[in-house]
Amino acid sequence: MTFLKELRSLISEQEISLAEPMAKFTSIRVGGIAECLIRPINSDSLVKVLGLLNRNQMALQIVGGGANTIIGDEGIAGICLKLKNESNTESVELDSAGATIEIGAGTPITRLIALMKMEHNSLVGAEFLAGIPGTIGGAVAMNAGTKNGECMTRVSEVELATSDGIGWVSGMSFRYRHTDIPKNSVVTRVRFKLPRGNQAESKEKMEKDLAYRKSTQPLTQPNFGSVFTNPPGQFAGALIEQVNLKGHRIGNAQLSTKHANWIVNLGGALAKDVTDLMDLAQSRVKDSTGIELHPEVKRLGQFK
Ligand SMILES: Cc1cc2nc3c(=O)[nH]c(=O)nc-3n(C[C@H](O)[C@H](O)[C@H](O)COP(=O)(O)OP(=O)(O)OC[C@H]3O[C@@H](n4cnc5c(N)ncnc54)[C@H](O)[C@@H]3O)c2cc1C
């Protein structure tokens, strides 16, 4: 670890964790060890680490809530970043139409929903994010959402950290499950603009959505949500079912019996079990229908 001496001269020891097991930081609970996990205590530390990565031509590797990430069995070489939960630095600025909520990127999405629901705020418009696990930074990077809406339609500005410093950006372009975050940038804070509206209707929407999730998704088993994005005009789950892979198991990973586009960890699965299942689903669907399935889940680290 040639970078370690330099790192120790830049940030405090409490921000550095060596040989950190990473499976616990992902919702599917698989994957190896990070050589060096860094949890910056503030933006100054973060910018210093980004500078070090830049000078040493090391890749930026970042995990948010790990709800859409699979980490390789061989672990993560170099530096992996994970932001802290910063709900103590949030702000809600009310105006005549609604409010601007500013919130740290390492904060869980659930905090945004809680702020929206608070009676004195009386805000609406982000109901579709209820039930999506992960952090605010991950929701922006992934443009998380459902058929009822997408995260970035509610975002007015995003604060980005690079090796040059920190700054707010507006008008970032986005598409289905993707936001164009400039290379080597980390989302550090996000401003959401939400209107004031009918709280009872908003709560009802969220309850309905959560009940639908419970009945259709394998939420009691470790998973990372949808494995593949839906091809235009198609459903990835239906295509996987069509090629008889619903419930198919490799090692301790399974294409869920409840929803074929979800992989569950039955206990002690390896990342390789998961990626082998993904490869199998992709090749069977391609051979049978000609349709290419594209993973929604992000890979981090080294895979066998
Ligand atoms: C039960 C379940 C249900 C789900 N339902 C949905 C759903 O309905 N809709 C949906 O869209 N998704 C869904 N997901 C997937 C997941 O919740 C979302 O993609 C979520 O936005 C991921 O956030 P995260 O913080 O966990 O991101 P991670 O998985 O940690 O990271 C995802 C990507 O974002 C990048 N990233 C994370 N933080 C930052 C940052 N601060 N700056 C720059 N890049 C960053 C990572 O490098 C990675 O490329 C579901 C997942 C589960 C487990």
mmCIF file of all heavy atoms in Angstrom, residues 50-69:
data_model
loop_
_atom_site.group_PDB
_atom_site.id
_atom_site.type_symbol
_atom_site.label_atom_id
_atom_site.label_comp_id
_atom_site.label_asym_id
_atom_site.label_seq_id
_atom_site.Cartn_x
_atom_site.Cartn_y
_atom_site.Cartn_z
ATOM 1 N N LEU A 50 -9.540 12.746 -2.505
ATOM 2 C CA LEU A 50 -9.733 12.782 -3.961
ATOM 3 C C LEU A 50 -8.454 13.290 -4.648
ATOM 4 O O LEU A 50 -8.095 12.822 -5.734
ATOM 5 C CB LEU A 50 -10.948 13.648 -4.322
ATOM 6 C CG LEU A 50 -12.302 13.092 -3.861
ATOM 7 C CD1 LEU A 50 -13.434 14.087 -4.147
ATOM 8 C CD2 LEU A 50 -12.621 11.753 -4.526
ATOM 9 N N GLY A 51 -7.768 14.210 -4.010
ATOM 10 C CA GLY A 51 -6.495 14.720 -4.527
ATOM 11 C C GLY A 51 -5.459 13.596 -4.586
ATOM 12 O O GLY A 51 -4.750 13.436 -5.582
ATOM 13 N N LEU A 52 -5.412 12.805 -3.512
ATOM 14 C CA LEU A 52 -4.458 11.682 -3.465
ATOM 15 C C LEU A 52 -4.763 10.672 -4.581
ATOM 16 O O LEU A 52 -3.859 10.207 -5.276
ATOM 17 C CB LEU A 52 -4.545 11.006 -2.088
ATOM 18 C CG LEU A 52 -3.662 9.783 -1.873
ATOM 19 C CD1 LEU A 52 -3.158 9.730 -0.434
ATOM 20 C CD2 LEU A 52 -4.391 8.486 -2.172
ATOM 21 N N LEU A 53 -6.051 10.371 -4.756
ATOM 22 C CA LEU A 53 -6.434 9.417 -5.824
ATOM 23 C C LEU A 53 -5.973 9.953 -7.177
ATOM 24 O O LEU A 53 -5.418 9.224 -7.997
ATOM 25 C CB LEU A 53 -7.956 9.215 -5.842
ATOM 26 C CG LEU A 53 -8.601 8.530 -4.629
ATOM 27 C CD1 LEU A 53 -10.112 8.447 -4.809
ATOM 28 C CD2 LEU A 53 -8.041 7.122 -4.431
ATOM 29 N N ASN A 54 -6.193 11.246 -7.369
ATOM 30 C CA ASN A 54 -5.852 11.891 -8.627
ATOM 31 C C ASN A 54 -4.336 11.833 -8.883
ATOM 32 O O ASN A 54 -3.896 11.397 -9.950
ATOM 33 C CB ASN A 54 -6.347 13.348 -8.544
ATOM 34 C CG ASN A 54 -6.353 14.016 -9.886
ATOM 35 O OD1 ASN A 54 -6.354 13.332 -10.908
ATOM 36 N ND2 ASN A 54 -6.326 15.336 -9.897
ATOM 37 N N ARG A 55 -3.565 12.219 -7.863
ATOM 38 C CA ARG A 55 -2.093 12.235 -8.014
ATOM 39 C C ARG A 55 -1.527 10.845 -8.283
ATOM 40 O O ARG A 55 -0.565 10.679 -8.999
ATOM 41 C CB ARG A 55 -1.438 12.793 -6.736
ATOM 42 C CG ARG A 55 -1.486 14.307 -6.631
ATOM 43 C CD ARG A 55 -0.618 14.799 -5.486
ATOM 44 N NE ARG A 55 -1.009 14.295 -4.178
ATOM 45 C CZ ARG A 55 -2.034 14.740 -3.460
ATOM 46 N NH1 ARG A 55 -2.773 15.728 -3.945
ATOM 47 N NH2 ARG A 55 -2.323 14.227 -2.277
ATOM 48 N N ASN A 56 -2.155 9.829 -7.649
ATOM 49 C CA ASN A 56 -1.646 8.457 -7.792
ATOM 50 C C ASN A 56 -2.352 7.672 -8.885
ATOM 51 O O ASN A 56 -2.156 6.465 -9.017
ATOM 52 C CB ASN A 56 -1.789 7.718 -6.461
ATOM 53 C CG ASN A 56 -0.856 8.276 -5.404
ATOM 54 O OD1 ASN A 56 0.306 7.933 -5.369
ATOM 55 N ND2 ASN A 56 -1.349 9.178 -4.577
ATOM 56 N N GLN A 57 -3.212 8.392 -9.640
ATOM 57 C CA GLN A 57 -3.987 7.765 -10.718
ATOM 58 C C GLN A 57 -4.717 6.508 -10.236
ATOM 59 O O GLN A 57 -4.689 5.460 -10.887
ATOM 60 C CB GLN A 57 -3.093 7.447 -11.907
ATOM 61 C CG GLN A 57 -2.555 8.711 -12.534
ATOM 62 C CD GLN A 57 -1.696 8.449 -13.735
ATOM 63 O OE1 GLN A 57 -1.118 7.378 -13.899
ATOM 64 N NE2 GLN A 57 -1.620 9.422 -14.612
ATOM 65 N N MET A 58 -5.321 6.641 -9.052
ATOM 66 C CA MET A 58 -6.100 5.526 -8.498
ATOM 67 C C MET A 58 -7.577 5.782 -8.790
ATOM 68 O O MET A 58 -8.027 6.934 -8.793
ATOM 69 C CB MET A 58 -5.898 5.437 -6.975
ATOM 70 C CG MET A 58 -4.498 4.996 -6.587
ATOM 71 S SD MET A 58 -4.175 5.301 -4.839
ATOM 72 C CE MET A 58 -5.112 3.973 -4.097
ATOM 73 N N ALA A 59 -8.315 4.671 -8.986
ATOM 74 C CA ALA A 59 -9.741 4.809 -9.330
ATOM 75 C C ALA A 59 -10.541 5.286 -8.123
ATOM 76 O O ALA A 59 -10.232 4.936 -6.982
ATOM 77 C CB ALA A 59 -10.277 3.446 -9.764
ATOM 78 N N LEU A 60 -11.576 6.113 -8.418
ATOM 79 C CA LEU A 60 -12.532 6.488 -7.362
ATOM 80 C C LEU A 60 -13.516 5.330 -7.196
ATOM 81 O O LEU A 60 -14.180 4.924 -8.150
ATOM 82 C CB LEU A 60 -13.287 7.765 -7.767
ATOM 83 C CG LEU A 60 -14.513 8.102 -6.918
ATOM 84 C CD1 LEU A 60 -14.133 8.378 -5.474
ATOM 85 C CD2 LEU A 60 -15.249 9.309 -7.495
ATOM 86 N N GLN A 61 -13.578 4.795 -5.989
ATOM 87 C CA GLN A 61 -14.515 3.703 -5.699
ATOM 88 C C GLN A 61 -15.327 4.149 -4.495
ATOM 89 O O GLN A 61 -14.764 4.470 -3.441
ATOM 90 C CB GLN A 61 -13.750 2.414 -5.379
ATOM 91 C CG GLN A 61 -12.777 2.034 -6.499
ATOM 92 C CD GLN A 61 -11.962 0.784 -6.190
ATOM 93 O OE1 GLN A 61 -12.278 -0.297 -6.642
ATOM 94 N NE2 GLN A 61 -10.915 0.933 -5.433
ATOM 95 N N ILE A 62 -16.639 4.186 -4.665
ATOM 96 C CA ILE A 62 -17.467 4.682 -3.564
ATOM 97 C C ILE A 62 -18.709 3.806 -3.392
ATOM 98 O O ILE A 62 -19.326 3.401 -4.372
ATOM 99 C CB ILE A 62 -17.837 6.177 -3.771
ATOM 100 C CG1 ILE A 62 -18.781 6.648 -2.658
ATOM 101 C CG2 ILE A 62 -18.412 6.489 -5.121
ATOM 102 C CD1 ILE A 62 -18.860 8.139 -2.514
ATOM 103 N N VAL A 63 -19.016 3.527 -2.139
ATOM 104 C CA VAL A 63 -20.246 2.803 -1.853
ATOM 105 C C VAL A 63 -21.121 3.708 -0.988
ATOM 106 O O VAL A 63 -20.631 4.409 -0.097
ATOM 107 C CB VAL A 63 -19.942 1.434 -1.185
ATOM 108 C CG1 VAL A 63 -19.284 1.581 0.177
ATOM 109 C CG2 VAL A 63 -21.186 0.586 -1.059
ATOM 110 N N GLY A 64 -22.416 3.730 -1.322
ATOM 111 C CA GLY A 64 -23.368 4.515 -0.518
ATOM 112 C C GLY A 64 -23.983 3.595 0.527
ATOM 113 O O GLY A 64 -23.307 3.096 1.433
ATOM 114 N N GLY A 65 -25.283 3.291 0.345
ATOM 115 C CA GLY A 65 -25.943 2.354 1.254
ATOM 116 C C GLY A 65 -25.754 0.910 0.809
ATOM 117 O O GLY A 65 -26.209 -0.017 1.481
ATOM 118 N N GLY A 66 -25.116 0.708 -0.354
ATOM 119 C CA GLY A 66 -24.862 -0.648 -0.855
ATOM 120 C C GLY A 66 -26.129 -1.400 -1.250
ATOM 121 O O GLY A 66 -26.123 -2.626 -1.319
ATOM 122 N N ALA A 67 -27.208 -0.673 -1.525
ATOM 123 C CA ALA A 67 -28.478 -1.333 -1.873
ATOM 124 C C ALA A 67 -28.569 -1.651 -3.358
ATOM 125 O O ALA A 67 -29.517 -2.309 -3.800
ATOM 126 C CB ALA A 67 -29.658 -0.460 -1.443
ATOM 127 N N ASN A 68 -27.575 -1.173 -4.124
ATOM 128 C CA ASN A 68 -27.560 -1.476 -5.555
ATOM 129 C C ASN A 68 -26.146 -1.865 -5.986
ATOM 130 O O ASN A 68 -25.743 -1.607 -7.114
ATOM 131 C CB ASN A 68 -28.045 -0.252 -6.354
ATOM 132 C CG ASN A 68 -28.430 -0.625 -7.756
ATOM 133 O OD1 ASN A 68 -29.221 -1.536 -7.959
ATOM 134 N ND2 ASN A 68 -27.844 0.034 -8.726
ATOM 135 N N THR A 69 -25.428 -2.465 -5.052
ATOM 136 C CA THR A 69 -24.018 -2.756 -5.297
ATOM 137 C C THR A 69 -23.708 -4.202 -4.959
ATOM 138 O O THR A 69 -24.190 -4.718 -3.961
ATOM 139 C CB THR A 69 -23.137 -1.831 -4.418
ATOM 140 O OG1 THR A 69 -23.328 -0.493 -4.857
ATOM 141 C CG2 THR A 69 -21.660 -2.173 -4.522
#
